[in-house]
Amino acid sequence: MSFTTPTFVIAAVTSVVLYYLIPKRTRPYLLLAASLGFYLAGGWQAMVYLVGCGLLTYSASLGIDAVRAKIEDSSRAKFFCKTLAAGCIFLCFGLLFAVKYWDWFAVLTADAMLKLGFGAPLPTLELIVPLGISFYTFKSVGYVIDVYRKKYPAERNFARHLLFVSYFPQIVQGPISRRNELMDAIDNPSPDIALNLKCGIQTALRGYLKKLVIADRAAVAVNAILGDPEGYGGAMVLMAILLYSIQLYCDFSGGIDMARGISLAYGVEMTENFRRPLFASSLADYWRRWHITLGSWMRDYVFYPLSLSKPLIKFGKFTRKRIGGKLGKILPTSAATFAIYIFIGIWHGASFKYIAFGFWNGILITASLLLEPLFLRVKEKLSFIGIGAWRVIGILRTNLIVVAGRYLTRAATFTTALSLFALLFTNPQFGRLFDGSLMGLGLTFEDWIIMLICALALALFELAEEITGKDMFTLIDERPAALQVAVIAAVLIVLVVFGIYRGDYIASEFIYKQY
Amino acid sequence: MEKLYEILENICPGIDVRSEALVDDGLIDSFDIVALVGEIMDEFGVELNVDDILPENFNSADAIMSLIERSR
């Protein structure tokens, strides 16, 4: 069931009404029932994976706590705890690998298997990919590691653990919450019902506007151009990738806004997942603003353990002694950073294009770390350029790099991405941008106008948030009541007229739900 | 303590090393923390590991110092 279907909206509103009618202590159980009901609507097979992941991580974390309580010898206890945590992580990621990557791996290695004399290639499994499996696997594994690191004790109530794993607003595309943050928010929801509903509705409306009015329209033009890239030429393909970048942001962050909005209506605030990535001044800054919870998960559970692993610590000592200077200091961290971006690339899916996407980000960020002293010297030499101008240059440069990287994620394969990019030089056809071709992509003139006005309004709104440092609620709350009502009414009208009652040629499917 | 201030200044030039919110105010990031851990292990001869990487352990020089003391 998608967040954009009327059935979902009716079910979500009903659950919010029920939530405030029942006693406070039973509310988490209502959220659990709603979450399981939401997931079950997608089929019982996927439910088996979800409950399996819940049972596995529940048992492993209880096992870790039990070992600590029963075994006094700390080194033996540590060994058993480590075995339990590692076994659980191996099984969780093994399951994720089986459903998402196995078939790709089997096809990829088919020739090699035959050449190596194995007789037959590895069999493909053709398993269903359960909705949101990467998201709930990552948050469940994070929970087990936190229990192993003694950040908090294991959850003893299975229903509560299953609620954490399956909490429906965040199961489709995140955010990847930490157990203590989400369960604290569920256990201590904001008591001000009017404020909860106001914030929830405003956030969800922004999400629906991004998704239904902007992203879904951009998708029509993107699909049309990329359906015949040779015919349209490199300039139009670049336009498609630019539109795809807008589509992806509005689709993903729109979905997150809907999720956060629904959760806020219960008084449960979820972790932020986007902080205006359009205004990032470097690629590293971009990844701190885009899909924040995936980045922080990678930082806490991969980057730190990797950076502080014995081989990298040894490597660090070696580079500090032998190479010295800035390079000697940051080489080990850069190696870990590079590994993280490869991992993030692979997280996106089973394809060489995603590995290439990881390399693209890893190489640029590692290079920027290594070249930082050089950049600082250049900046000093060009001291006549003010701080504000450098910031604008940084933002433009970052957006250029991000859009270039999107060739890799949008194209069907890695080689297609390269040929799409090459078209810009071999067959650009710049004239197609101005000869009315844009009007022949399946969108009406009205569609283009409403999409561009809404995208511009969104960008200006985010610019106001960026400059003032205030969030959406504060910015709206500071205005006179009449203006507040007018803004919300305008958004509602645009949403109803252009988002709900729109042409059948505009489809609605979330991009990130496949992850 | 002076040695710790010196390490902080070397890793993050220009920040207020006496701040009580090094992590909360974004004065140091994950890269700085990893570099800091490496330097601390070298200079103070203590063994820190990933379980010690909590924001509260790095939010101020005092917090870092007490982490070092606990690890001795």
Side-chain angles (χ1 to χ4, degrees):
Chain A
M1 195 194 315
S2 170
F3 282 2
T4 55
T5 58
T7 320
F8 174 79
V9 176
I10 293 167
V13 172
T14 312
S15 73
V16 172
V17 174
L18 274 175
Y19 181 85
Y20 287 112
L21 289 176
I22 61 174
K24 278 182 187 168
R25 63 189 165 78
T26 59
R27 287 175 183 171
Y29 296 99
L30 173 77
L31 294 180
L32 174 63
S35 300
L36 296 181
F38 174 80
Y39 209 73
L40 208 51
W44 64 269
Q45 296 100 323
M47 191 69 150
V48 174
Y49 288 93
L50 179 79
V51 176
C53 179
L55 268 172
L56 192 63
T57 47
Y58 174 73
S59 318
S61 56
L62 277 184
I64 291 169
D65 265 13
V67 165
R68 281 201 184 114
K70 287 193 179 145
I71 302 180
E72 282 176 16
D73 178 354
S74 67
S75 62
R76 269 188 73 214
K78 195 170 180 185
F79 170 76
F80 283 121
C81 290
K82 203 177 236 179
T83 308
L84 272 170
C88 176
I89 295 167
F90 179 77
L91 286 174
C92 285
F93 281 136
L95 203 63
L96 186 63
F97 179 81
V99 297
K100 271 186 76 175
Y101 303 97
W102 178 265
D103 287 358
W104 175 73
F105 183 69
V107 172
L108 192 72
T109 54
D111 280 349
M113 291 294 283
L114 292 174
K115 276 179 193 158
L116 287 171
F118 281 93
L122 293 166
T124 53
L125 300 173
E126 288 168 20
L127 298 169
I128 58 150
V129 181
L131 180 73
I133 186 167
S134 298
F135 294 100
Y136 67 72
T137 302
F138 271 55
K139 72 176 183 177
S140 307
V141 164
Y143 160 70
V144 173
I145 298 174
D146 283 350
V147 171
Y148 171 73
R149 289 179 180 170
K150 299 182 191 169
K151 206 169 167 188
Y152 40 73
E155 173 62 66
R156 301 197 166 269
N157 181 333
F158 180 63
R160 281 174 54 80
H161 180 64
L162 196 57
L163 172 59
F164 162 67
V165 177
S166 68
Y167 186 51
F168 81 93
Q170 58 179 215
I171 202 149
V172 184
Q173 47 187 350
I176 305 168
S177 283
R178 305 300 167 87
R179 190 250 168 203
N180 52 334
E181 287 169 0
L182 181 62
M183 293 313 287
D184 279 356
I186 288 176
D187 291 338
N188 306 294
S190 154
D192 188 337
I193 299 176
L195 185 69
N196 294 345
L197 294 179
K198 185 179 164 186
C199 294
I201 290 168
Q202 280 181 12
T203 309
L205 277 181
R206 182 170 67 173
Y208 281 103
L209 189 82
K210 282 179 183 172
K211 169 70 180 150
L212 296 177
V213 182
I214 306 173
D216 290 348
R217 275 183 174 73
V220 175
V222 172
N223 295 342
I225 298 172
L226 297 184
D228 179 21
E230 290 283 348
Y232 282 106
M236 284 288 274
V237 168
L238 177 62
M239 170 64 83
I241 297 297
L242 199 65
L243 282 170
Y244 173 66
S245 304
I246 296 170
Q247 177 203 346
L248 187 65
Y249 174 57
C250 290
D251 187 285
F252 190 14
S253 74
I256 293 288
D257 280 347
M258 292 173 208
R260 292 189 84 227
I262 293 157
S263 193
L264 277 171
Y266 301 124
V268 177
E269 187 168 0
M270 293 197 307
T271 323
E272 196 180 32
N273 212 31
F274 289 92
R275 203 171 40 246
R276 304 176 292 281
L278 180 67
F279 299 102
S281 54
S282 69
L283 195 55
D285 185 27
Y286 173 82
W287 281 104
R288 282 194 288 270
R289 292 162 173 260
W290 173 278
H291 206 347
I292 297 169
T293 54
L294 177 66
S296 66
W297 194 97
M298 292 287 176
R299 183 195 63 207
D300 291 355
Y301 304 119
V302 185
F303 176 76
Y304 283 143
L306 204 59
S307 302
L308 301 175
S309 64
K310 278 184 183 140
L312 269 192
I313 291 277
K314 265 189 191 164
F315 179 57
K317 280 181 183 165
F318 172 80
T319 55
R320 276 202 294 272
K321 209 177 271 177
R322 294 290 167 91
I323 301 173
K326 172 94 178 166
L327 184 65
K329 268 185 190 172
I330 65 165
L331 258 184
T333 331
S334 305
T337 308
F338 194 76
I340 293 294
Y341 284 99
I342 302 297
F343 199 21
I344 288 180
I346 295 171
W347 177 87
H348 280 80
S351 168
F352 277 119
K353 65 173 186 171
Y354 291 122
I355 297 174
F357 181 63
F359 269 96
W360 169 253
N361 285 290
I363 289 170
L364 286 172
I365 291 177
T366 313
S368 70
L369 281 171
L370 298 176
L371 296 173
E372 198 185 354
L374 181 72
F375 290 146
L376 289 176
R377 278 207 297 276
V378 171
K379 250 183 167 176
E380 258 175 44
K381 291 249 162 80
L382 302 173
S383 55
F384 58 90
I385 301 178
I387 295 173
W390 275 120
R391 181 81 209 278
V392 174
I393 292 169
I395 290 171
L396 290 175
R397 184 195 55 194
T398 307
N399 278 288
L400 200 68
I401 292 169
V402 169
V403 170
R406 291 288 168 226
Y407 272 93
L408 289 167
T409 55
R410 180 56 181 82
T413 64
F414 175 58
T415 43
T416 315
L418 293 183
S419 59
L420 287 179
F421 188 68
L423 278 178
L424 197 55
F425 306 98
T426 57
N427 175 24
Q429 298 187 46
F430 289 109
R432 296 296 293 263
L433 291 172
F434 312 101
D435 68 357
S437 295
L438 287 171
M439 289 300 130
L441 297 173
L443 289 178
T444 64
F445 181 69
E446 239 180 30
D447 284 326
W448 278 104
I449 294 296
I450 195 69
M451 178 174 75
L452 294 176
I453 289 177
C454 288
L456 189 66
L458 179 69
L460 288 174
F461 205 91
E462 293 200 355
L463 178 66
E465 286 182 313
E466 185 72 17
I467 291 172
T468 59
K470 294 173 182 170
D471 62 11
M472 180 180 74
F473 310 119
T474 318
L475 284 173
I476 294 179
D477 250 7
E478 282 174 346
R479 307 291 152 212
L483 189 61
Q484 288 185 38
V485 173
V487 169
I488 292 170
V491 170
L492 260 175
I493 291 168
V494 169
L495 200 52
V496 171
V497 177
F498 300 101
I500 298 170
Y501 294 102
R502 60 188 189 184
D504 291 339
Y505 51 90
I506 302 171
S508 190
E509 197 62 75
F510 282 105
I511 296 172
Y512 261 69
K513 78 167 203 179
Q514 62 185 305
Y515 301 133
Chain B
M1 198 62 161
E2 285 311 312
K3 201 198 281 181
L4 180 60
Y5 283 139
E6 200 181 307
I7 293 173
L8 271 168
E9 269 160 10
N10 273 336
I11 291 172
C12 318
I15 66 158
D16 174 14
V17 293
R18 284 174 170 75
S19 162
E20 292 292 311
L22 290 169
V23 177
D24 294 345
D25 288 351
L27 299 177
I28 60 172
D29 62 15
S30 51
F31 286 82
D32 301 325
I33 290 177
V34 171
L36 198 54
V37 168
E39 289 288 317
I40 287 171
M41 293 203 300
D42 275 356
E43 294 293 322
F44 292 89
V46 290
E47 200 58 34
L48 297 180
N49 59 53
V50 71
D51 307 353
D52 299 313
I53 311 282
L54 297 170
E56 56 268 30
N57 284 344
F58 291 87
N59 227 6
S60 66
D62 282 339
I64 300 171
M65 206 62 211
S66 50
L67 172 68
I68 295 168
E69 294 299 332
R70 285 201 305 276
S71 308
R72 274 190 169 136

